């Protein structure tokens, strides 16, 4: 039964990865337009972008 959900889960991982990269990049762009310093929130946003990239990479590896 668990194998039936794997293809749909992989598609969700791809969509979540794309969304994390797009929204995270938009947030970083807006933050750099307002201020030039890198704080904790900027670093956390970069981690979310990295995780989104990892999800997309894992989708195409399998």
């Amino acid at each position: 039964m668990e194998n039936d959900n794997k293809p749909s889960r992989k598609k969700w991982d791809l969509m979540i990865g794309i969304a994390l990269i797009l929204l995270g990049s938009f947030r970083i762009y807006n933050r750099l337009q307002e201020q030039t310093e890198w704080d904790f929130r900027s670093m956390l946003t970069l981690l979310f972008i990295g995780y989104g990239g990892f999800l997309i990479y894992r989708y195409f590896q399998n």
Side-chain angles (χ1 to χ4, degrees), residues 27-28 31-32 34-47:
R27 284 183 57 102
I28 289 291
R31 183 171 298 278
L32 288 176
E34 294 173 5
Q35 60 187 9
T36 57
E37 64 186 41
W38 290 87
D39 57 352
F40 178 72
R41 291 180 69 183
S42 299
M43 296 299 170
L44 189 63
T45 305
L46 285 176
L47 284 174

Side-chain angles (χ1 to χ4, degrees), residues 3-40:
N3 291 336
D4 295 337
N5 293 334
K6 283 216 177 211
S8 65
R9 176 65 187 178
K10 286 175 61 175
K11 289 180 184 177
W12 274 106
D13 283 347
L14 177 66
M15 289 188 280
I16 290 170
I18 291 171
L20 285 174
I21 289 177
L22 290 176
L23 293 175
S25 299
F26 183 68
R27 284 183 57 102
I28 289 291
Y29 174 76
N30 284 337
R31 183 171 298 278
L32 288 176
Q33 295 298 319
E34 294 173 5
Q35 60 187 9
T36 57
E37 64 186 41
W38 290 87
D39 57 352
F40 178 72

